[in-house]
């Protein structure tokens, strides 16, 4: 493999148009275009663009949606020497304005039904070319190939916009032809691409996944099968139409996002079906966990390769890949692990510390990428330095086997999400810092149940409290039917609904629908409320049973006033202490666990506090009935109560004075920083 390719990306496609002109290049519904037909259409459009004045390297927005026409537009722009900027017509208006109002945009390729929307946004004087109403004029152009005079591999090929998962407006990434070529060469080797492959395409055209799909399919001589709106699992309500498309079109390569593969897998399990001719499934876009990969392997069998792919727009969707082996090694907590393996050819990926240098094996850090697959820079920012790692905003670590593991976004709470996924009732989860009515940010967990199940927020809070330090554990658990996602299929951490207010039974929404009031914030009130109820119950019980257990121990008939009243107050305090101790015994464990100490010390301190409160009631009654010279009873009382209370106090001192395994101060600072970045 050459170190630096001198070819432009569409030249690989043109090679197959010459060799196998009658092979099917694109399938979109009932429409099928051969390589010759697609190439001739693209050549005509390229000449039309040149005659319209497109300069070398000029930016042309492609606003057509996802059908065969968008491939004609993309290839036409590249053949004309320009760079394409894909944008979906149904993108949010703010995103459309952000992209189409670019001052350096030469023009827009669209259709007549979208002309008004596009014309209102694009700058005056920029041509708006409608491929349907101007089809006759375009068809009059020559279908002969254009010369690539003066074209270089370092020329700009496209501007792809990020998915905006950090809660900010998507940023345009400048990708050169050589970036796409090197990414393709890596995919060709890892995916073992051949002209016989038929590639499923499910990603909106504006994202890196679409460009990666057409490059893999058309540069290798394969067929690109475009899934329509009817095959979109979100729109269709299930994955049955998508599964039917895969089977009917004999798809062999499926590259999709995490929600799509989860929906497909549920459909396959429920129907006892398979994926027919599929030989490779590569999943990207978000964390895909090892237990899910293993479950899919059990469903599909060993003949289907299963890859977990980590890619970033800044590297044309390339990055790293992990292939599930036929006999996976036993891994503790596979539901918490998302292995992403090793870098694709053309990329170098490392885990970086705060100083920008790679970390030691096992240490957490930010994933960084460099190499010839990394683009030129951001549209609105500085260029990328080829000799330095580009920080991705994702956390990772190097596993003991040398492979990389994805740990979520830097601004996410991956530890809490990994622990939640370990609960058998939880399907998917998301933990976010949500601002409450008082303006304070509180960690809130949003969870979906496993198929056919339900989740208990109280049980999940207890589950979390015993496994996470208090500052890293969500204080609110909100059951939801599904998690919000961006149009790119990634978790939308800024689009979660606000937990409902408890006061007055009012409900708060964020455009996502109201949530039940009993799942709102302030679940700690439930713990304290239960403790107070138990305190009252056991206090009354101890007061009523004192004379039954210790007859005459509270007899004050011979004690003069006001001393009798003082002793009565003492007996009431003992009963209240006993009641509070019992309440803390039953309800105090989660409160202690929030301190972040080890489970052993937490349990010991929990029991010690309860005993310090409970012991006063039986101890004082025993002492009052013991004769001063009854040495055996006096010794038993001393060792049963006094010594045990000293030990309990020492345990509490150790709990309060020692530093947790994860220092709360550092964790609080991390949470605050991450919350501010969310």
């Amino acid at each position: 493999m050459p170190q630096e390719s001198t070819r432009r990306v569409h030249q690989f496609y043109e090679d197959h148009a010459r060799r196998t002109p009658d092979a099917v290049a694109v399938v979109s519904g009932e429409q099928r275009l051969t390589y010759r037909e697609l190439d001739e259409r693209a050549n005509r459009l390229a000449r039309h663009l040149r005659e319209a004045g497109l300069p070398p390297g000029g930016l042309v927005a492609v606003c057509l949606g996802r059908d065969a026409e968008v491939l004609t537009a993309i290839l036409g722009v590249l053949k004309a020497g320009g760079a394409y900027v894909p944008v979906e017509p149904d993108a949010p208006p703010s995103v459309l304005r952000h992209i189409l109002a670019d001052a350096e945009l030469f023009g827009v390729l669209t259709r007549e039904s979208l002309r008004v929307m596009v014309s209102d946004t694009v700058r005056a004087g920029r041509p708006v070319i409608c491929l349907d109403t101007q089809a006759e004029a375009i068809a009059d152009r020559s279908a002969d190939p254009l010369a690539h005079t003066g074209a270089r591999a370092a020329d700009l090929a496209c501007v792809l916009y990020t998915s905006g998962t950090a809660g900010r407006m998507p940023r345009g990434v400048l990708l050169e032809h050589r970036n796409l070529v090197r990414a393709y060469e890596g995919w060709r080797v890892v995916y073992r691409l051949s002209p016989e492959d038929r590639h499923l395409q499910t990603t909106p055209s504006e994202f890196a996944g679409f460009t990666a799909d057409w490059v893999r399919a058309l540069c290798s001589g394969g067929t690109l099968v475009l899934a329509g709106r009817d095959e979109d699992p979100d729109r269709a309500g299930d994955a049955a139409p998508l599964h039917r498309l895969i089977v009917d079109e004999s798809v062999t390569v499926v590259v999709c996002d995490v929600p799509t593969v989860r929906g497909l897998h549920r459909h396959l399990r429920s129907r006892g079906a398979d994926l027919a001719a599929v030989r490779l499934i590569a999943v990207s876009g978000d964390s895909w966990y090892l237990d899910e990969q293993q479950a899919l392997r059990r469903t599909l069998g060993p003949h289907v390769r299963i890859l977990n792919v980590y890619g970033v727009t800044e590297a044309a969707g390339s990055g790293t890949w992990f292939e599930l082996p036929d006999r996976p090694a036993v891994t503790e907590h596979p539901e918490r692990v998302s292995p992403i393996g090793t870098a694709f050819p053309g990329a170098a990926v490392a885990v970086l510390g705060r100083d920008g240098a790679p970390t030691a094996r096992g240490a957490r850090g930010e994933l960084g990428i460099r190499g010839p697959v990394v683009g030129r820079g951001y549209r609105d920012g500085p260029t990328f330095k080829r000799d330095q790692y580009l920080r991705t905003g994702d956390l990772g670590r190097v596993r003991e086997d040398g492979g990389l593991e994805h740990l979520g976004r830097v601004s996410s709470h991956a530890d809490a999400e990994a622990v939640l996924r370990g609960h058998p009732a939880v399907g998917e989860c998301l933990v976010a810092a949500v601002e409450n009515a008082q303006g304070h940010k509180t960690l809130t967990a949003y969870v979906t149940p496993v198929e056919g199940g339900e989740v208990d927020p109280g049980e999940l809070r207890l589950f979390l409290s015993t496994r996470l330090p208090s500052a890293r554990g969500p204080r609110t658990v909100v059951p939801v039917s599904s998690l919000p996602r961006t149009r790119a299929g990634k978790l939308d951490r800024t689009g979660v609904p606000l937990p409902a207010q408890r006061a007055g039974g009012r409900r708060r929404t964020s455009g996502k629908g109201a949530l039940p009031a009993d799942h709102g914030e302030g679940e700690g009130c439930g713990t304290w409320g239960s403790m107070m109820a138990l305190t009252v119950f056991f206090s009354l019980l101890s007061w009523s049973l004192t004379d039954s257990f210790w007859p005459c121990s509270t007899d004050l008939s011979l004690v003069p006033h006001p001393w009798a009243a003082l002793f009565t107050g003492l007996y009431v305090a003992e009963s209240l202490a006993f009641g509070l101790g019992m309440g803390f015994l039953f309800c105090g464990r989660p409160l202690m666990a929030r301190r972040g100490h080890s489970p052993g010390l937490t349990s010991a301190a929990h029991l010690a506090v309860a005993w310090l409160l409970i012991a006063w009631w039986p101890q004082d009654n025993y002492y009052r009935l013991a004769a001063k010279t009854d040495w055996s009873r006096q010794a038993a009382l001393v060792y049963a109560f006094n010594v045990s209370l000293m030990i309990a106090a020492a345990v509490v001192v150790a709990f309060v004075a020692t530093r947790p395994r994860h220092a709360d101060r550092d964790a609080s600072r991390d949470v605050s920083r991450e919350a501010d970045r969310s």
Side-chain angles (χ1 to χ4, degrees):
M1 183 183 299
Q3 186 174 8
E4 184 71 56
S5 176
T6 59
R7 307 190 70 193
R8 292 155 67 87
V9 67
H10 57 279
Q11 291 179 302
F12 289 81
Y13 151 78
E14 291 172 338
D15 290 344
H16 295 286
R18 289 191 296 270
R19 292 180 198 146
T20 55
D22 296 325
V24 177
V26 182
V27 173
S28 179
E30 298 299 322
Q31 187 179 24
R32 277 159 170 71
L33 294 179
T34 65
Y35 272 82
R36 177 190 290 114
E37 292 169 333
L38 180 60
D39 197 49
E40 290 177 349
R41 291 188 180 195
N43 287 337
R44 290 189 173 99
L45 179 59
R47 293 182 182 279
H48 190 78
L49 287 169
R50 279 194 179 177
E51 292 188 21
L54 176 65
L59 302 181
V60 179
V62 177
C63 186
L64 291 165
R66 193 170 69 235
D67 55 23
E69 208 64 62
V70 75
L71 271 304
T72 300
I74 287 174
L75 291 170
V77 172
L78 294 177
K79 284 171 174 283
Y84 68 93
V85 185
V87 56
E88 281 284 322
D90 60 353
S94 60
V95 174
L96 277 171
R97 289 193 296 270
H98 177 61
I99 297 175
L100 295 179
D102 192 315
E104 297 187 20
L105 201 64
F106 166 78
V108 183
L109 294 177
T110 186
R111 54 175 57 94
E112 186 63 34
S113 60
L114 301 172
R115 173 188 280 275
V116 174
M117 177 190 71
V118 170
S119 299
D120 286 345
T121 305
V122 72
R123 293 198 173 215
R126 306 292 195 266
V128 176
I129 301 173
C130 297
L131 299 187
D132 47 359
T133 56
Q134 299 183 45
E136 187 174 343
I138 296 172
D140 288 340
R141 312 294 182 192
S142 171
D144 294 336
L146 283 75
H148 298 293
T149 306
R152 301 174 305 150
D155 290 342
L156 193 65
C158 58
V159 179
L160 302 183
Y161 279 79
T162 61
S163 58
T165 53
R168 59 187 297 175
M169 187 62 67
R171 304 185 71 181
V173 178
L174 306 174
L175 293 171
E176 301 169 350
H177 280 268
R178 58 186 174 184
N179 304 140
L180 296 181
V181 168
R182 288 306 300 267
Y184 163 67
E185 290 172 341
W187 291 322
R188 178 176 57 81
V189 171
V190 174
Y191 292 177
R192 304 169 195 167
L193 301 177
S194 75
E196 288 73 36
D197 279 322
R198 297 172 67 85
H199 303 249
L200 179 68
Q201 205 295 309
T202 62
T203 309
S205 61
E206 70 186 77
F207 297 119
F210 183 92
T211 290
D213 284 338
W214 81 253
V215 168
R216 279 190 295 263
L218 301 186
C219 291
S220 63
T223 300
L224 186 66
V225 179
L226 299 172
R229 295 170 68 91
D230 293 340
E231 284 88 24
D232 187 334
D234 288 337
R235 296 180 184 273
D238 62 38
L242 185 62
H243 176 238
R244 187 162 52 250
L245 177 68
I246 292 172
V247 173
D248 292 347
E249 294 297 340
S250 301
V251 169
T252 61
V253 175
V254 174
V255 181
C256 62
D257 58 25
V258 174
T260 299
V261 78
R262 285 172 177 162
L264 269 176
H265 192 196
R266 285 193 297 269
H267 174 76
L268 295 176
R269 282 203 315 261
S270 65
R271 303 296 176 86
D274 59 25
L275 289 179
V278 172
R279 66 169 184 83
L280 170 71
I281 292 181
V283 180
S284 62
D286 221 330
S287 295
W288 193 38
Y289 294 92
L290 188 58
D291 64 323
E292 298 179 286
Q293 300 171 41
Q294 294 170 342
L296 185 62
R297 165 55 53 79
R298 290 191 292 270
T299 299
L300 297 181
H303 65 283
V304 179
R305 295 178 65 200
I306 296 175
L307 273 63
N308 187 25
V309 175
Y310 170 77
V312 293
T313 305
E314 291 82 351
S318 182
T320 68
W321 62 285
F322 167 81
E323 181 169 2
L324 186 70
D326 291 338
R327 294 184 178 180
V330 177
T331 302
E332 186 178 6
H333 298 301
E335 74 282 354
R336 303 184 187 181
V337 178
S338 180
I340 55 175
T342 188
F344 278 97
V349 180
V351 179
L352 308 178
R354 293 184 178 180
D355 59 355
T359 63
R361 181 171 296 189
R364 295 162 58 97
E366 186 174 356
L367 292 172
I369 185 170
R370 70 180 183 186
V373 297
V374 177
R376 183 185 297 176
Y378 290 116
R379 187 85 180 87
D380 58 349
T383 59
F384 302 147
K385 297 181 179 179
R386 293 191 174 274
D387 59 341
Q388 293 182 5
Y389 284 102
L390 172 67
R391 290 184 176 273
T392 64
D394 291 302
L395 288 173
R397 70 182 180 95
V398 180
R399 295 163 54 83
E400 291 302 319
D401 59 8
L404 290 165
E405 179 182 342
H406 186 235
L407 299 176
R409 295 291 294 174
V410 169
S411 58
S412 70
H413 303 278
D415 289 350
E417 291 174 354
V419 171
L420 272 172
R421 287 201 81 252
H423 193 283
V426 173
E428 295 184 76
C429 61
L430 182 156
V431 177
V434 179
E435 188 171 302
N436 60 22
Q438 291 74 37
H440 302 298
K441 288 187 175 181
T442 304
L443 284 188
T444 302
Y446 297 86
V447 296
T448 66
V450 295
E451 190 174 2
E454 59 182 22
V455 295
D456 180 353
E459 180 183 342
L460 290 181
R461 287 194 296 269
L462 180 60
F463 180 81
L464 286 166
S465 69
T466 59
R467 292 164 173 80
L468 282 173
S470 60
R472 294 186 180 180
R475 301 199 173 190
T476 306
V477 176
V478 180
V480 293
S481 58
S482 62
L483 296 177
R485 291 188 177 273
T486 66
R487 292 181 307 115
K490 297 184 178 183
L491 287 175
D492 184 2
R493 300 181 182 277
T494 63
V496 293
L498 299 179
Q501 293 186 24
R502 299 177 63 88
R506 294 188 301 171
R507 302 181 178 205
R508 297 162 56 195
T509 67
S510 181
K512 304 291 183 179
L515 295 171
D518 60 345
H519 294 319
E521 50 186 90
E523 73 286 345
C525 296
T527 301
W528 285 105
S530 299
M531 189 184 304
M532 291 302 101
L534 289 173
T535 297
V536 173
F537 172 77
F538 281 107
S539 296
L540 294 175
L541 185 66
S542 66
W543 180 265
S544 62
L545 294 179
T546 298
D547 285 332
S548 298
F549 289 137
W550 302 282
C552 301
S553 64
T554 58
D555 182 9
L556 299 173
S557 57
L558 299 179
V559 179
H561 290 287
W563 312 112
L566 292 177
F567 282 113
T568 299
L570 172 64
Y571 302 156
V572 170
E574 289 173 351
S575 293
L576 288 174
F578 177 80
L580 181 58
M582 292 298 292
F584 192 79
L585 179 65
F586 284 104
C587 301
R589 183 65 167 78
L591 302 177
M592 301 292 286
R594 290 178 180 177
R595 297 284 300 176
H597 286 283
S598 66
L601 181 56
T602 298
S603 297
H606 171 219
L607 296 176
V609 173
W611 181 240
L612 284 170
L613 292 166
I614 291 171
W616 295 105
W617 179 52
Q619 176 191 216
D620 207 25
N621 282 290
Y622 275 124
Y623 270 119
R624 287 197 294 271
L625 296 178
K628 292 184 179 181
T629 56
D630 189 349
W631 306 119
S632 59
R633 177 174 289 192
Q634 291 287 350
L637 288 172
V638 167
Y639 280 92
F641 291 103
N642 291 14
V643 173
S644 66
L645 289 173
M646 295 176 198
I647 295 173
V651 171
V652 172
V653 169
F655 183 82
V656 173
T658 59
R659 194 173 178 82
R661 290 177 302 172
H662 305 283
D664 276 3
R665 184 185 62 187
D666 294 339
S668 297
R669 185 171 62 245
D670 291 343
V671 169
S672 298
R673 184 178 67 249
E674 293 173 6
D676 290 338
R677 296 180 63 179
S678 294

